[in-house]
Amino acid sequence: MAAGGSLSRSERKAAARAEILQQEEQRDRRRQVSRIWRKPPAERSPEECQVLSESEDIVRELERRRKRRERLRRRQEEVCDEPEELKRKVVELAAAIRNAKHLVIYTGAGISTAASIPDYRGPNGIWTLLQKGRSISATDLSEAEPTLTHMSIACLHKHNLVQHVVSQNCDGLHLRSGLPRSAISELHGNMYIEVCTSCTPNREYVRVFDVTERTALHKHHTGRMCHKCGAQLRDTIVHFGEKGTLTQPLNWEAATEAASKADVILCLGSSLKVLKKYPRLWCMSKPPPRRPKLYIVNLQWTPKDDLAALKLHGRCDDVMRLLMEELGLQIPSYDRARDPIFALAEPLRPEEEGTHSRKPVAPPQGTEPAAAPRDEPPARPGGWLGRGCAKGTRRRKSN
């Protein structure tokens, strides 16, 4: 040992070699124990049993990992209630909706799978396939149409049974179902809307095509310019890892206000793994008796299941069909010729025609798009929508 109690260079090298050898021995030991542990108990030799008994810490860790994998596997499984059980639960849900004073609906990707839009965590979801190392193909959303669930929600709102809808989806199908923009908070944006953030208030441009062709994480400019001030337009999408700062169409102010008033929350087709991270949506600051009752419709486990008054294991369209029948309401059919997007959209100027290659949403051949709904004003010059830039657009909110 060198003077002053410090190790010499050769001693430090020897200590480092000894540590490396010890780590290698531990890895070899873990591999040996793991190989033995995976064997059926009846096939283990006495010597192997002795190795396991001398490696209790490693065995406990292997057991913990096995239980965790099993728990994750069970959570990814899709479970369907038996038809009679599902009907019984729908009757209970219908009673809760009739008695609710302020019902808010939270929607996720599961309500759009019937429109051939993949979800994220289902058996064929985007994240599920990526975790398995499988490739995913791009989906043409121009052919997607509002599902039975979208149309049911719009009908419930029309009959004053639903006060507000908070959606994680950016497919624009709530807007296209006829749900008023004032009644929607699209927390992760809308693929049909681009905005000018240089104008005050922000100017919105609703398009009939997906405006995100040139955009990505932290890259939001769409390649088009504001008709009013000439600044670059940006999409409204909030990617994973980003915080949404746009007032519309995110509409956080209305979402927070609706959640604070809610006595019933109905979650449709959402894993809630993202929504659970937004405390303002769950009124967790309130004492438990004063929190809204939670109803969840999902085939898979969600992190809010233990807090739910009722969990319905069923596909959203199946549940909503039964629910609307129980409530005595007729589900309106989607009519593409009357899709509100045609009345709300701002047409491209001639010089902008080459700025995208996405297939647009088009009305059926030989039909004229319907006029804007009575509660939605037509687009104004410059693409500013009165509804989209009215209440709640002067303050910025982040999610």
Side-chain angles (χ1 to χ4, degrees), residues 40-60:
E43 297 180 9
R44 296 171 188 163
S45 68
E47 292 78 11
E48 289 173 335
C49 292
Q50 180 66 23
V51 170
L52 293 181
S53 65
E54 293 173 353
S55 309
E56 293 181 353
D57 290 347
I58 299 176
V59 171
R60 279 196 296 269

Side-chain angles (χ1 to χ4, degrees), residues 243-246 250 252 256 278 280 395-399:
K243 296 188 74 173
T245 58
L246 295 173
L250 279 56
W252 263 107
T256 304
Y278 302 140
R280 67 182 88 172
R395 301 185 198 64
R396 287 186 176 273
K397 280 259 188 196
S398 67
N399 66 353

Side-chain angles (χ1 to χ4, degrees), residues 207-357:
R207 307 295 191 183
V208 293
F209 57 87
D210 180 1
V211 304
T212 68
E213 183 176 4
R214 302 182 181 183
T215 67
L217 178 68
H218 303 312
K219 297 179 181 179
H220 292 278
H221 289 148
T222 63
R224 287 171 289 278
M225 303 296 177
C226 176
H227 298 174
K228 170 76 174 186
C229 70
Q232 292 192 75
L233 299 181
R234 58 154 292 169
D235 70 9
T236 62
I237 304 303
V238 180
H239 295 273
F240 287 98
E242 295 181 331
K243 296 188 74 173
T245 58
L246 295 173
T247 306
Q248 293 288 353
L250 279 56
N251 204 7
W252 263 107
E253 185 174 6
T256 304
E257 181 181 359
S260 68
K261 294 179 179 178
D263 59 340
V264 174
I265 294 175
L266 172 58
C267 300
L268 295 170
S270 172
S271 70
L272 301 181
K273 291 182 178 179
V274 175
L275 282 184
K276 73 171 184 178
K277 299 178 182 179
Y278 302 140
R280 67 182 88 172
L281 296 181
W282 304 104
C283 306
M284 297 308 290
S285 60
K286 294 182 179 179
R290 295 183 55 197
R291 292 175 193 164
K293 289 185 177 180
L294 180 60
Y295 294 80
I296 299 174
V297 178
N298 205 305
L299 292 169
Q300 295 175 308
W301 171 91
T302 82
K304 291 288 187 180
D305 284 357
D306 291 341
L307 299 176
L310 183 67
K311 172 72 179 290
L312 295 86
H313 297 93
R315 300 189 185 282
C316 292
D317 278 7
D318 295 339
V319 172
M320 293 305 291
R321 185 180 291 107
L322 292 171
L323 176 64
M324 297 297 279
E325 181 180 344
E326 181 67 23
L327 292 172
L329 297 175
Q330 184 175 359
I331 303 170
S333 299
Y334 169 73
D335 181 357
R336 182 170 281 229
R338 300 182 62 81
D339 193 317
I341 198 169
F342 300 124
L344 297 172
E346 173 70 20
L348 294 176
R349 290 180 171 179
E351 64 271 19
E352 296 176 317
E353 287 296 336
T355 59
H356 80 96
S357 61

Side-chain angles (χ1 to χ4, degrees), residues 24-80:
E24 289 179 351
E25 288 175 0
Q26 290 175 345
R27 281 195 293 269
D28 290 341
R29 182 71 170 182
R30 280 196 293 270
R31 280 194 289 266
Q32 180 191 23
V33 172
S34 178
R35 186 172 59 253
I36 296 170
W37 178 77
R38 286 197 297 269
K39 286 185 176 182
E43 297 180 9
R44 296 171 188 163
S45 68
E47 292 78 11
E48 289 173 335
C49 292
Q50 180 66 23
V51 170
L52 293 181
S53 65
E54 293 173 353
S55 309
E56 293 181 353
D57 290 347
I58 299 176
V59 171
R60 279 196 296 269
E61 179 61 27
L62 291 171
E63 284 287 349
R64 279 195 295 269
R65 292 181 182 182
R66 181 191 64 78
K67 291 178 180 178
R68 182 174 181 273
R69 287 194 299 270
E70 179 64 21
R71 185 167 62 251
L72 291 175
R73 185 189 65 79
R74 287 198 304 270
R75 288 180 175 182
Q76 291 175 348
E77 288 179 346
E78 291 192 342
V79 178
C80 292

